[in-house]
Amino acid sequence: GAVVSQHPSRVICKSGTSVKIECRSLDFQATTMFWYRQFPKQSLMLMATSNEGSKATYEQGVEKDKFLINHASLTLSTLTVTSAHPEDSSFYICSVPPGANTEAFFGQGTRLTVV
Amino acid sequence: GENVEQHPSTLSVQEGDSAVIKCTYSDSASNYFPWYKQELGKRPQLIIDIRSNVGEKKDQRIAVTLNKTAKHFSLHITETQPEDSAVYFCAATSRGSYQKVTFGTGTKLQVIP
């Protein structure tokens, strides 16, 4: 199946700094990428949808100026957590949407810890 | 938007017994219902899925049933094994220009040897 590669898998940053997470589609072109956040013992919550060549769409309650999304090419989508705070510590996962005959494909996830 | 409810939140079964997890969804236009197993710190792993033109699907010990009229679907695991212990999520997708996936709240399954 399709492969989505997400980096880094784990990152620790200081409060107030920014962190960039990358998701690459390795053997196909992805015009759309979902970005999820998962807090401990909770479900995956959709944060935003990135679209190649256009602005990202953010879910209600997600600050677009804090979570910057860029979909610069058909194989790369990035999420930048700006001015990170401890409450941003979470597991972030990207995903290519399912298609008419395909399943969704997920990146490996990024464990972000803000200290 | 779509809302997916999942029950129970925790489930303990004896090894060899069956486990059933149930989900309901709100958007009658949803047409794809995957089930995921997630181990701690890992990405969700698709274990079975069903599309709205089918009422039941089975893959070895795992089966999913879908009732479109009632807007609910269920996961059935038979002959459970300790390695089935994990968190399971149901999900539903809504129609649109892309298939937005909404996850249920999760079920922590523990299989007791």
Side-chain angles (χ1 to χ4, degrees):
Chain A
V3 177
V4 177
S5 179
Q6 182 174 347
H7 294 280
S9 58
R10 190 180 297 267
V11 59
I12 300 172
C13 72
K14 291 186 177 180
S15 190
T17 62
S18 296
V19 173
K20 180 186 281 188
I21 302 169
E22 293 188 348
C23 271
R24 295 181 183 274
S25 52
L26 297 185
D27 52 0
F28 65 101
Q29 295 180 331
T31 56
T32 301
M33 191 77 76
F34 292 146
W35 285 93
Y36 292 92
R37 178 170 54 184
Q38 185 177 31
F39 291 109
K41 298 185 180 181
Q42 293 189 24
S43 185
L44 283 77
M45 298 299 296
L46 183 65
M47 297 174 65
T49 303
S50 73
N51 303 290
E52 190 272 336
S54 64
K55 290 184 178 180
T57 305
Y58 290 82
E59 297 299 304
Q60 193 172 8
V62 178
E63 300 174 58
K64 62 180 181 180
D65 294 332
K66 180 172 180 62
F67 298 98
L68 301 180
I69 288 174
N70 185 275
H71 200 132
S73 74
L74 289 171
T75 59
L76 176 63
S77 176
T78 62
L79 166 67
T80 302
V81 183
T82 64
S83 187
H85 289 99
E87 56 264 33
D88 297 324
S89 299
S90 189
F91 191 54
Y92 293 84
I93 312 176
C94 61
S95 168
V96 171
N101 298 298
T102 58
E103 62 186 89
F105 296 101
F106 294 87
Q108 299 96 319
T110 297
R111 170 70 60 194
L112 171 62
T113 303
V114 184
V115 297
Chain B
E2 177 66 276
N3 182 47
V4 180
E5 295 189 359
Q6 181 172 348
H7 300 281
S9 57
T10 60
L11 179 60
S12 291
V13 299
Q14 291 290 138
E15 182 178 359
D17 288 350
S18 296
V20 180
I21 302 171
K22 298 182 179 181
C23 288
T24 60
Y25 61 99
S26 61
D27 186 353
S28 57
S30 289
N31 62 349
Y32 174 61
F33 307 91
W35 284 89
Y36 297 97
K37 176 183 181 182
Q38 188 182 31
E39 297 177 348
L40 193 62
K42 304 287 187 181
R43 75 185 104 190
Q45 174 191 356
L46 180 71
I47 56 171
I48 196 165
D49 56 11
I50 191 167
R51 297 192 184 263
S52 59
N53 57 346
V54 176
E56 184 174 357
K57 184 177 178 180
K58 187 174 181 180
D59 183 5
Q60 299 183 346
R61 297 187 297 111
I62 298 173
V64 56
T65 59
L66 171 65
N67 183 325
K68 286 178 56 181
T69 303
K71 290 189 285 188
H72 66 69
F73 56 114
S74 301
L75 176 72
H76 304 251
I77 306 175
T78 59
E79 300 172 28
T80 54
Q81 302 166 3
E83 51 265 37
D84 294 330
S85 297
V87 178
Y88 291 80
F89 291 99
C90 63
T93 59
S94 53
R95 293 184 188 273
S97 57
Y98 47 80
Q99 297 275 286
K100 186 185 247 188
V101 181
T102 302
F103 286 81
T105 47
T107 298
K108 184 175 182 179
L109 173 65
Q110 181 184 20
V111 180
I112 304 166

